Amino acid sequence: MKVLVPVKRVIDYNVKVRVKADGTGVDLANVKMSMNPFDEIAVEEAIRLKEAGKADEIVVVSIGVKQAQETLRTALAMGADRAILVTAADDVHTDIEPLAVAKILAAVAKEENPGLIIAGKQAIDNDMNATGQMLAALLGWSQATFASEVAVDGDTATVTREVDGGLQTVKVKMPAVITADLRLNEPRYASLPNIMKAKKKPLDEKTAADYGVDVSPRLTVVKTSEPPVRQAGIKVGSVDELVSKLKEAGAL
Amino acid sequence: MAVLLLADVANGQLAKDAVSKTVSAVAALGDVHVLVAGEGGDAAAAEAATIAGVAKVIFAGDHGFCHLLAEPTADLIVSMAGAYSHIAAPSASDAKNILPRVAALLDVMILSDVTAVVDGDTFERPIYAGNAIQTVKSADSVKVMTIRTTSFEAAADGNSAPVEALGTAASTGLSEWVEDKVAASDRPELTSAKIVVSGGRGVGSEEDFKIIEALADKLGAAVGASRAAVDSGFAPNDWQVGQTGKVVAPEVYIACGISGAIQHLAGMKDSKIIVAINKDEEAPIFQVADFGLVADLFDAVPELTGKV
Ligand SMILES: Cc1cc2nc3c(=O)[nH]c(=O)nc-3n(C[C@H](O)[C@H](O)[C@H](O)COP(=O)(O)OP(=O)(O)OC[C@H]3O[C@@H](n4cnc5c(N)ncnc54)[C@H](O)[C@@H]3O)c2cc1C
């Protein structure tokens, strides 16, 4: 079985984002970029399926700017076999919407015929939490989102999902789209030899136009603003003082 | 036009607070029709009909909608979509699972976690873990959106909207529910509780999390946790507060042994009063805390439990 894993290049999760003074967006020039943490988990899960003999090839796909090539190389260094870069924007500030990304991924899936697609549950930049669900819809496939455990058995996958009340287990018919939550696994670091080897793994370059997908946004960004800043309050010296402050504030 | 609002229902129980806040978020956009899906949802449908601002409740009682599996529920909503300008739901795990699927089937974008409705096409939503707020204008014919309920007040009570039965049968075949592992609890629900007491990595173990729970129970509060506490097995996943967990905005949020990473702050920084108990006076949580206590939580938390 082939596993397809979409990966996104996003601002590193440790970087404090800055809203541009003119309100047009967030400053991404010269900031550290990394693979979206949820996508690392998705790549790791695919590698584990391959190690367990349940998958034989892992194809990673990234859609965005040319620089996403680095993100794909990271995935190849972790253990993916092959990469597809779909260039859909020139400016690093352009975020391709989940709907357009899902359309491109659906086109890739039709060419590649994977048995399973594992995506991250959300990208930590736009926080949409949508691409996997949209992709499953466009392909007419089943979906199992927010996965914390995946067991593949023949043509079904049993997936434990993190939901509001606790955990839910569903059985989905394959091919399926699974989206990874934080506790699915702990992704490995790529070793130096694997980073070197990854440089020689195949990386195909495509454009959105190759798949006939119009990536123009449906949502126009009117403005981007800073959230209200919360002022630090006071330090209290003791539990007694805390209790009396809370009472004064009418909180107890 | 009207708004179709997918109700959040689990085991026949309506998440009334969340649905009511969603009703008030979308009330200005048109008549609100609440959809309750799943066999056994009769009581939830009746309860939804009492929320002020609801024009009618549609109850799709087929067994196949139980557990709100994404595939049949999305098909159901798509089959009804023609009559609506907006399709909305509280940003709970079911809606996050279902509505992006609905949006793609309708060839429109999803608007996730809407925090303000500016007009019928224009909405605000947080990006980058709430470190920026984006105002977006949608060019789509139908707006499909999840609502961040902590940004809205609950609608009033005291309505008796009609409940209409819808006989649509669920599409089947793609996925199947196996089981839910849900811990029963007498505590208030995390996202609607007035007080939340949360523990982080500093609590150290599942056993020691009991001191967090004891304070919560004394205060009639819900219990929350940081990702580190959940990952370490001190607390169950459904207690996680943050960018990728639950978003809460209680009257009082008490963070114990939590450093205050941006991903955690994303889930609680709109709380009215934030209390931080941490032994490191440099912990970033103190930058957002109204009342900070630099102390060992193993001393301070039990003492606080004794004094409230
Ligand atoms: C993609 C992604 C998503 C994430 N999503 C979330 C999320 O939704 N929610 C979330 O919370 N995190 C999330 N995180 C993780 C986040 O970055 C932090 O790692 C996490 O919040 C840290 O948890 P913590 O504060 O409990 O632990 P730490 O940062 O280790 O802090 C522990 C604190 O406890 C204090 N302490 C220790 N012992 C004591 C004591 N005896 N008494 C008092 N204080 C003590 C320490 O001084 C320290 O400040 C996410 C990370 C990533 C990459």
Side-chain angles (χ1 to χ4, degrees), chain A residues 13 37-38 124 182, chain B residues 200-202 226-228 240-245 257-261 263-264 277-280 283 295-298:
Chain A
Y13 81 97
F38 290 97
I124 60 163
L182 292 171
Chain B
R201 197 198 309 270
S226 70
R227 174 190 173 182
Q240 184 179 312
V241 170
Q243 180 184 17
T244 54
I258 292 178
S259 62
Q263 293 87 2
H264 189 78
I277 300 175
N278 194 304
K279 67 179 181 189
D280 172 12
D296 191 311
L297 70 91
F298 294 102

Side-chain angles (χ1 to χ4, degrees), chain A residues 11 13-17 19 26 28 38 41 97-100 103 121-131 133-138 140-146 158 161-175 181-183 217-228 230-240 242-243 245-247 249-252, chain B residues 8 67 69-71 92-94 96-98 100-101 103-105 107-113 122 125-140 173-183 195 219 227 230-231 237-238 240 243-246 252 254 262-263 268-275 277 281 286-294 300 303-304 307-308:
Chain A
I11 193 164
Y13 81 97
N14 272 315
V15 175
K16 171 112 181 68
V17 306
V19 174
V26 160
L28 294 178
F38 290 97
I41 297 171
E97 287 177 348
L99 180 62
K103 286 180 178 176
K121 83 160 176 182
Q122 90 192 57
I124 60 163
D125 51 2
N126 64 31
D127 280 335
M128 288 276 191
N129 189 338
T131 302
Q133 297 89 315
M134 291 187 140
L135 176 57
L138 297 176
W141 291 6
S142 61
Q143 68 185 55
T145 52
F146 327 146
T158 304
R161 310 176 51 233
E162 294 205 359
V163 295
D164 288 340
L167 297 170
Q168 178 183 69
T169 305
V170 293
K171 204 181 253 185
V172 294
K173 203 155 126 188
M174 306 229 284
D181 214 320
L182 292 171
R183 280 166 283 276
R218 304 294 185 85
L219 307 178
T220 313
V221 178
V222 179
K223 67 167 191 244
T224 306
S225 50
E226 297 254 15
R230 215 185 153 102
Q231 301 300 330
I234 55 161
K235 290 252 171 71
V236 293
S238 66
V239 170
D240 288 320
L242 175 59
V243 173
K245 289 286 179 202
L246 285 172
K247 284 192 173 143
L252 288 182
Chain B
D8 187 19
H67 313 293
L69 290 173
E71 302 86 352
S93 51
D94 282 331
K96 290 181 189 169
N97 187 32
I98 297 163
R101 187 171 179 107
L105 292 172
D107 192 26
V108 301
M109 254 299 283
I110 178 86
L111 294 143
S112 312
D113 277 320
T122 316
R125 55 178 305 271
I127 53 174
Y128 293 97
N131 286 301
I133 309 293
Q134 212 170 48
T135 307
V136 291
K137 193 172 160 77
S138 166
D140 284 322
L174 285 176
S175 69
E176 168 192 335
W177 173 84
V178 178
E179 64 168 347
D180 283 339
K181 278 198 193 123
V182 175
I195 307 180
L219 293 167
R227 174 190 173 182
V230 177
D231 285 1
N237 68 283
D238 50 304
Q240 184 179 312
Q243 180 184 17
T244 54
K246 287 185 177 143
V252 187
I254 306 178
I262 48 172
Q263 293 87 2
M268 44 64 79
K269 70 179 161 59
D270 293 329
S271 305
K272 297 231 166 54
I273 295 176
I274 296 174
V275 176
I277 300 175
E281 62 175 322
F286 288 122
Q287 292 164 18
V288 298
D290 298 280
F291 304 122
L293 177 62
V294 180
E303 187 183 346
L304 185 56
K307 288 178 172 166
V308 291

Side-chain angles (χ1 to χ4, degrees), chain A residues 28-247:
Chain A
L28 294 178
N30 307 315
V31 277
K32 182 173 181 216
M33 304 295 281
S34 299
M35 192 191 304
N36 179 41
F38 290 97
D39 303 349
E40 284 182 347
I41 297 171
V43 173
E44 175 67 34
E45 195 65 17
I47 297 169
R48 290 187 190 188
L49 283 172
K50 191 177 168 190
E51 286 168 348
K54 307 252 179 190
D56 43 40
E57 191 185 20
I58 301 164
V59 181
V60 286
V61 190
S62 193
I63 294 150
V65 289
K66 276 200 319 278
Q67 292 88 327
Q69 212 183 103
E70 294 157 27
T71 314
L72 289 169
R73 290 285 173 210
T74 306
L76 293 171
M78 286 173 72
D81 299 296
R82 183 154 76 70
I84 303 170
L85 171 68
V86 184
T87 309
D90 299 322
D91 180 353
V92 292
H93 292 94
T94 308
D95 187 37
I96 309 294
E97 287 177 348
L99 180 62
V101 170
K103 286 180 178 176
I104 293 171
L105 290 172
V108 172
K110 279 178 189 146
E111 279 181 13
E112 296 282 343
N113 286 313
L116 192 61
I117 299 176
I118 312 180
K121 83 160 176 182
Q122 90 192 57
I124 60 163
D125 51 2
N126 64 31
D127 280 335
M128 288 276 191
N129 189 338
T131 302
Q133 297 89 315
M134 291 187 140
L135 176 57
L138 297 176
L139 291 167
W141 291 6
S142 61
Q143 68 185 55
T145 52
F146 327 146
S148 63
E149 213 181 310
V150 174
V152 172
D153 185 17
D155 61 356
T156 59
T158 304
V159 180
T160 302
R161 310 176 51 233
E162 294 205 359
V163 295
D164 288 340
L167 297 170
Q168 178 183 69
T169 305
V170 293
K171 204 181 253 185
V172 294
K173 203 155 126 188
M174 306 229 284
V177 178
I178 293 174
T179 74
D181 214 320
L182 292 171
R183 280 166 283 276
L184 182 57
N185 59 52
E186 261 189 65
R188 69 193 65 191
Y189 291 102
S191 66
L192 197 57
N194 286 343
I195 293 172
M196 300 312 289
K197 264 197 266 170
K199 294 189 174 151
K200 297 204 189 76
K201 290 186 179 175
L203 189 151
D204 258 5
E205 293 195 39
K206 302 272 191 181
T207 65
D210 292 338
Y211 297 102
V213 175
D214 174 8
V215 297
S216 32
R218 304 294 185 85
L219 307 178
T220 313
V221 178
V222 179
K223 67 167 191 244
T224 306
S225 50
E226 297 254 15
V229 236
R230 215 185 153 102
Q231 301 300 330
I234 55 161
K235 290 252 171 71
V236 293
S238 66
V239 170
D240 288 320
E241 194 186 343
L242 175 59
V243 173
S244 72
K245 289 286 179 202
L246 285 172
K247 284 192 173 143

